[in-house]
Amino acid sequence: MRKPVIAGNWKMYKLLGEAVETALALKPLVANSTHCDVVIAPVFTALKTVADRLEGSNIKVAAQDCAVQNEFGAQTGEVAPVMIRDAGCSHVIIGHSERRQFFGETNESVNKKTKAALSAGLAVIVCVGESLSERESGNAESVVKSQLFGGLAGLTVSDLERIIIAYEPVWAIGTGKTATPEQAQEMHGFIRRVLAETHGAEAADSMRILYGGSVKPDNIASLMNNEDVDGALVGGASLEAGSFSRIVNYK
Ligand code: PEP
């Protein structure tokens, strides 16, 4: 009943020409992939062109971050969610661990950005996940719980209809170390229980919870085989149309 989402995060890769080339190569490879929502997240400078070239296809386009507000203003370097929507995007990724680690993203800013993105009409992929030391010290669940509490604070049940959670253990991102299907299921089940506490069982049951962290064509099926894993947020393996399409078509 939960439609899976397979999203590709292109991070800071690809000049415009290459972004278009990859998007156009992907298009026919996933044209019949009606079992899931397919999303790609190019860099800001490629969003509009890629979205235009994918118009009418089943591939949706996401930004990788956004500003905390939609009001225009003196915010040098920022891009408002309403501008992202204007560029043809339907989604935005917020709170990616690289933003949290290197660019000062906090649960509070994730919350502000999420609210601004929702009010601009975007769907939001909210990323959560613990570091290796947090996992090793037994704090993985409490870290993820506080990211959920902070990031989703003040959101209503109807807001949650346009939220997707991505659980991305920091120790698995770009490292080649994937969480085992059991580790992923354990945390996804925990996330769903937290959401049931905060927003009720129905909202929790409908939430798509994606796994992210070194997802590849050869491990996607075993991850997707778990009850609470509803898709993937893919970094490295999404950069090439062939490997990303094999992940999309994992069945
Ligand atoms: C990511 O960037 O969200 C990610 C999961 O990267 P990778 O798949 O390369 O680990």
Side-chain angles (χ1 to χ4, degrees), residues 9 11 96 98 168 172-175 212-216 233-237:
N9 172 17
K11 311 194 187 198
H96 190 279
E98 286 152 16
E168 301 205 298
I173 297 180
T175 58
S214 299
V215 172
K216 308 283 177 224
L233 180 54
V234 186

Side-chain angles (χ1 to χ4, degrees), residues 42-65:
V43 292
F44 276 117
T45 49
L47 290 177
K48 168 75 177 143
T49 313
V50 168
D52 282 351
R53 300 297 296 271
L54 290 177
E55 213 180 317
S57 79
N58 59 334
I59 305 174
K60 300 183 168 92
V61 180
Q64 300 172 15
D65 187 26

